[in-house]
Amino acid sequence: MEFTYSEELEIQKKKAGRKQRVRKRMMIMTATGLAVGLVLGVCLGSMGKKQLKAEVAFLTDSVIEKEKQVLSVRKEMHEMQNRQAIDAGEKELPWNLVLVNPWNEMELGYEPPELVEIEPDMFVDSRIAEPLKQMLAAADAEGLDPFICSAYRSIERQEDLFNQGMKLRLNSGLGYFDAFEKTASVIAVPGTSEHALGLAVDIISVSNTNLDESQEETKEFKWFEEHCYDYGFILRYPNGTTDITGIIYEPWHYRYVGVDIAQEIKALGVTFEEYIQNHYLK
Ligand SMILES: [Zn+2]
């Protein structure tokens, strides 16, 4: 294929490698720290069990401190990249093509200019309300039963979701770093979810309300996968593109980009990241 997701992908791959190395180093540090603590405790028999316990607790605390430092360095790296991406975006990307993903956070404080309620408690950016309604009406006319299970989500709501996920994993005994990684793999880090743009909707089948890969078996998914492009939407996270999008396969998440670009993306068979990379960020 003539489109290669070259530089950006390479950077992300390097970052992934770096992350793994940092992780490995931290594991070694943890193991060494605990081993040293134990040996010290055993050698200095007079320390007693209580003191040994305190020693191990201290070492664990210092490992948590290190994890926090690693995270803050990562955050700084992301912020730097985001500033670059946002600079590029401000110059060239129109509202319907704003790129938000794990490596490109939304502009700080961004709010859709106007929200419209399309179903009870479901809001979207007013600019996509009409095409969305038309798409749903067309699906209804085919005798299908689609169901919007998520639309606009404020950054605050995303923060709540993320914090709930973190709590759950910390309580289950994971360290801070692991809890963060695990949570981020299923709930977008606040500021990196397209739902906060008001340009994305999750559409599932009334016959199957599980938010998982089984959606692809429903006739609703089969129809939306084929026709969403006619209404300006794209299936944002297709199967087998996690390396590029940073998000798992989601046979329910549709993002508005406009009819012309949606058609182009469909014809090229590329992800949104690849399209933006090749058309706007070169
Ligand atoms: Zn979604």
Side-chain angles (χ1 to χ4, degrees):
M1 193 185 296
E2 73 180 282
F3 285 94
T4 54
Y5 190 63
S6 50
E7 289 164 8
E8 178 71 6
L9 185 57
E10 278 315 306
I11 294 169
Q12 300 316 336
K13 278 186 179 158
K14 270 188 209 134
K15 252 164 51 187
R18 196 153 49 223
K19 205 161 74 188
Q20 246 169 9
R21 284 196 296 279
V22 170
R23 216 190 157 91
K24 228 178 242 170
R25 218 175 304 148
M26 276 183 11
M27 276 165 67
I28 293 168
M29 270 168 36
T30 314
T32 318
L34 289 174
V36 169
L38 282 167
V39 169
L40 268 178
V42 172
C43 289
L44 308 172
S46 60
M47 277 173 79
K49 255 189 186 168
K50 214 171 173 187
Q51 238 166 323
L52 176 62
K53 234 179 175 175
E55 179 80 357
V56 172
F58 167 75
L59 284 164
T60 313
D61 279 349
S62 69
V63 168
I64 289 172
E65 240 353 275
K66 286 264 158 10
E67 285 179 354
K68 283 186 183 158
Q69 282 168 18
V70 170
L71 278 175
S72 86
V73 169
R74 274 184 63 196
K75 200 162 170 256
E76 265 172 46
M77 267 168 50
H78 280 181
E79 275 165 8
M80 217 163 66
Q81 286 170 340
N82 289 336
R83 270 196 296 278
Q84 289 165 355
I86 287 165
D87 287 348
E90 274 171 1
K91 267 184 257 135
E92 306 181 48
L93 295 177
W95 68 273
N96 53 321
L97 297 183
V98 170
L99 176 66
V100 169
N101 65 21
W103 310 288
N104 296 293
E105 277 176 42
M106 290 173 59
E107 228 175 303
L108 214 65
Y110 177 86
E111 288 284 343
E114 191 193 350
L115 289 168
V116 164
E117 193 171 28
I118 35 148
E119 271 173 32
D121 276 334
M122 290 287 170
F123 295 84
V124 292
D125 185 311
S126 59
R127 293 168 290 193
I128 76 162
E130 210 37 55
L132 178 59
K133 279 183 202 157
Q134 284 171 11
M135 178 165 72
L136 292 167
D140 282 345
E142 292 289 322
L144 300 169
D145 276 325
F147 163 69
I148 297 183
C149 65
S150 190
Y152 168 73
R153 284 201 297 260
S154 67
I155 293 200
E156 291 74 36
R157 170 87 185 111
Q158 195 69 24
E159 270 167 7
D160 286 348
L161 281 177
F162 195 83
N163 289 341
Q164 278 169 25
M166 277 296 282
K167 250 185 228 158
L168 207 76
R169 288 169 181 84
L170 287 170
N171 286 345
S172 79
L174 285 181
Y176 191 84
F177 193 92
D178 285 331
F180 185 90
E181 296 286 296
K182 283 252 161 62
T183 306
S185 73
V186 287
I187 303 169
V189 176
T192 71
S193 167
E194 276 194 337
H195 286 279
L197 290 174
L199 303 178
V201 280
D202 292 340
I203 303 177
I204 58 176
S205 167
V206 169
S207 69
N208 175 4
T209 51
N210 297 323
L211 214 55
D212 59 28
E213 287 190 15
S214 67
Q215 281 300 326
E216 69 175 9
E217 301 303 327
T218 65
K219 49 190 195 313
E220 282 75 15
F221 172 73
K222 284 173 183 146
W223 188 88
F224 279 94
E225 185 193 27
E226 176 69 26
H227 297 284
C228 68
Y229 303 90
D230 301 340
Y231 300 89
F233 289 84
I234 57 170
L235 179 68
R236 181 67 175 82
Y237 309 116
N239 202 0
T241 61
T242 303
D243 279 356
I244 300 169
T245 64
I247 305 287
I248 55 162
Y249 174 40
E250 291 195 352
W252 57 82
H253 182 110
Y254 301 89
R255 149 82 194 253
Y256 185 83
V257 293
V259 174
D260 293 347
I261 288 162
Q263 296 287 357
E264 217 179 323
I265 286 175
K266 186 186 188 187
L268 292 166
V270 292
T271 58
F272 188 51
E273 272 78 8
E274 290 166 299
Y275 182 83
I276 295 295
Q277 171 82 5
N278 283 299
H279 289 77
Y280 290 91
L281 299 181
K282 269 196 168 153

